[in-house]
Amino acid sequence: MEVDFSNIKVIGFDADDTLWVNETYFRDAEEQFASLLENYETKNKIDQELFRMEMNNLDLYGYGIKGFMLSMIESAMELSNNQVSQATLSQILTLGKNMISHPVELLEGVKEVLDVLARQYRLIVLTKGDLLDQERKLERSGLSEYFHHVEVLSDKKETNYQNLLDHLEIDVKEFLMIGNSLRSDILPILNIGAQAVHVPFHTTWKHEIVSEVDENHQYLTLNGLKQVLDYL
Amino acid sequence: MEVDFSNIKVIGFDADDTLWVNETYFRDAEEQFASLLENYETKNKIDQELFRMEMNNLDLYGYGIKGFMLSMIESAMELSNNQVSQATLSQILTLGKNMISHPVELLEGVKEVLDVLARQYRLIVLTKGDLLDQERKLERSGLSEYFHHVEVLSDKKETNYQNLLDHLEIDVKEFLMIGNSLRSDILPILNIGAQAVHVPFHTTWKHEIVSEVDENHQYLTLNGLKQVLDYL
């Protein structure tokens, strides 16, 4: 695929699973959650029910670990028919607290790529999730210095991106987004007329998977972030 | 007290308990929480323990209803020595969900004041708490049209304010903050050299109460938001 990035002046980076590991911790937590409840249901059923609960609560709680914790508590009571022990509920709370305080693990090549790109482009972070949690991760990541601006969005739909670009006075023609989620980082960006580079992470949350991509959508897919230096 | 607002070009409004009712719902929830646990402890002890739990978890959860829900769950188990029924835990979750979806109740005179001030000043909202929750409240409030910018901060300390004013290219000498919390809306603002108007709400969360105010801090205190029109 041919791409032309010669107009690009500002590059937006997704954070979770683009700059640092995130989804892996959710998958680990789901595994542990299923183990804690293995007396009540099969792993498969537990996974399904937790996901269903998260989707039910998404409008109310939004994205992030605290909403995930509340959904785990609610699921545990439901799946066990209110038989789950309070020791188990406490373990679920601890599981979530450990996720929040987990050290940040940068993905391969991130520092190297930012080091190069920061010299030539204005770099910003565009992430969704919990405000405090994302600010904390950026601070722990040691990457703050590379970014002109960090925006935590409640969602990543066309309007969220358009409003932000307007606010930061960024021309869509000069904006490139790099991220791991087709649904959140790539498609809405292409829909508003900006460009996008897809760097898939090995794990994608079911909610972020899109089943079909319009053929008119043109974007680059790379195997790792470092490859972006071949194009920029 | 003499004040000079002739330089002011931008006015920042706190949202919770300045534009709309908030603390009242937390107090109501605490009342209900204490009733749910009345078999285990006195109301006084329950209030104390819930507050202690919230403070313990504040670094981890930050401000907002989801963190409050998680602290209620954890407190309920602790206060009851893990004897609390799952029906009660479910009621606590429902209590929190109802807080999130509660209709927005504007404080007296808010629309009238914004109507007047929006003609002459650039108005912004500066609030802390949960991003999604605050965005939702602003939307429901019908007040969005009055504001040039809305910023949800993870905290309201000097650095949070200074960074935001820098980012929005607002001169501190031209900035006035209006809010109900001395700790969050007034003192840090005065410390960075901007001006502030204190409009107390009848209820203040224990965490927001400051015991002593430096005599060098000069700010106006009003009985209601409408009085601000006498000065601006």
Side-chain angles (χ1 to χ4, degrees), chain A residues 87-215:
Chain A
T88 299
L89 294 178
S90 289
Q91 282 174 288
I92 292 171
L93 288 176
T94 304
L95 198 63
K97 287 182 177 185
N98 288 342
M99 289 175 79
I100 296 175
S101 48
H102 199 288
V104 172
E105 193 181 339
L106 292 188
L107 287 171
E108 205 208 325
V110 163
K111 272 212 148 175
E112 188 184 331
V113 167
L114 295 177
D115 242 345
V116 173
L117 296 180
R119 284 177 228 151
Q120 207 183 333
Y121 301 93
R122 204 171 127 209
L123 308 184
I124 64 180
V125 175
L126 301 183
T127 172
K128 71 183 174 188
D130 183 76
L131 182 61
L132 178 64
D133 197 34
Q134 295 292 4
E135 285 182 358
R136 188 159 34 201
K137 284 193 279 188
L138 192 73
E139 202 187 304
R140 285 188 200 145
S141 74
L143 301 175
S144 306
E145 53 170 325
Y146 292 111
F147 298 104
H148 279 77
H149 182 75
V150 175
E151 189 78 24
V152 181
L153 302 160
S154 59
D155 208 344
K156 281 180 156 181
K157 302 223 166 92
E158 278 85 349
T159 47
N160 304 92
Y161 283 115
Q162 190 63 65
N163 290 341
L164 183 72
L165 294 184
D166 289 349
H167 168 57
L168 298 177
E169 296 177 351
I170 298 169
D171 185 338
V172 288
K173 298 287 170 217
E174 300 177 350
F175 185 67
L176 171 69
M177 180 77 192
I178 300 178
N180 73 299
S181 166
L182 279 182
R183 180 195 175 112
S184 296
D185 305 316
I186 311 301
L187 300 184
I189 285 290
L190 299 174
N191 285 338
I192 64 168
Q195 294 199 71
V197 170
H198 186 213
V199 186
F201 186 64
H202 55 76
T203 305
T204 304
W205 185 29
K206 226 187 292 182
H207 173 66
E208 296 289 338
I209 294 174
V210 281
S211 47
E212 234 178 290
V213 176
D214 189 323
E215 281 183 17

Side-chain angles (χ1 to χ4, degrees), chain B residues 20 104 106 111 136-144 147:
Chain B
W20 50 65
V104 171
L106 293 187
K111 272 212 146 172
R136 189 160 31 203
K137 284 193 280 187
L138 192 73
E139 201 187 304
R140 284 188 200 145
S141 73
L143 301 176
S144 305
F147 298 104

Side-chain angles (χ1 to χ4, degrees), chain A residues 46-61:
Chain A
I46 293 170
D47 280 350
Q48 265 174 30
E49 286 302 303
L50 176 57
F51 182 69
R52 193 188 53 77
M53 187 66 78
E54 286 180 86
M55 289 306 103
N56 272 351
N57 288 333
L58 191 60
D59 276 353
L60 222 47
Y61 297 154

Side-chain angles (χ1 to χ4, degrees), chain B residues 65-76:
Chain B
I65 298 172
K66 286 179 288 184
F68 179 62
M69 290 169 75
L70 289 165
S71 289
M72 282 195 289
I73 297 280
E74 195 174 351
S75 282

Side-chain angles (χ1 to χ4, degrees), chain B residues 8-87:
Chain B
I8 300 304
K9 289 186 180 160
V10 185
I11 303 177
F13 284 86
D14 168 55
D16 290 338
D17 303 316
T18 297
L19 299 178
W20 50 65
V21 178
N22 177 61
E23 206 45 41
T24 311
Y25 309 138
F26 277 89
R27 288 298 88 76
D28 288 350
E30 285 164 12
E31 291 280 332
Q32 291 177 61
F33 179 76
S35 302
L36 287 171
L37 297 174
E38 63 188 359
N39 291 339
Y40 304 106
E41 279 295 350
T42 61
K43 174 161 179 4
N44 203 28
K45 172 80 175 167
I46 294 170
D47 280 351
Q48 263 174 31
E49 286 302 303
L50 177 57
F51 182 69
R52 194 189 52 77
M53 187 66 77
E54 285 182 87
M55 289 306 103
N56 273 349
N57 288 332
L58 190 59
D59 276 352
L60 222 47
Y61 298 155
Y63 298 95
I65 298 172
K66 286 179 288 184
F68 179 62
M69 290 169 75
L70 289 165
S71 289
M72 282 195 289
I73 297 280
E74 195 174 351
S75 282
M77 297 199 287
E78 210 173 282
L79 280 161
S80 68
N81 234 326
N82 289 337
Q83 298 306 304
V84 62
S85 73
Q86 311 231 339

Side-chain angles (χ1 to χ4, degrees), chain B residues 135-192:
Chain B
E135 284 182 0
R136 189 160 31 203
K137 284 193 280 187
L138 192 73
E139 201 187 304
R140 284 188 200 145
S141 73
L143 301 176
S144 305
E145 54 170 325
Y146 292 111
F147 298 104
H148 278 76
H149 183 75
V150 175
E151 189 78 24
V152 181
L153 301 160
S154 59
D155 208 345
K156 282 180 155 180
K157 303 222 164 95
E158 276 85 349
T159 48
N160 304 91
Y161 282 115
Q162 189 63 64
N163 290 341
L164 183 73
L165 294 184
D166 288 350
H167 169 58
L168 297 177
E169 297 176 350
I170 298 168
D171 185 339
V172 287
K173 299 286 168 220
E174 298 177 351
F175 185 67
L176 170 71
M177 180 75 193
I178 301 178
N180 72 297
S181 166
L182 279 183
R183 179 196 176 112
S184 296
D185 305 317
I186 310 302
L187 300 185
I189 286 291
L190 299 174
N191 285 338
I192 64 168

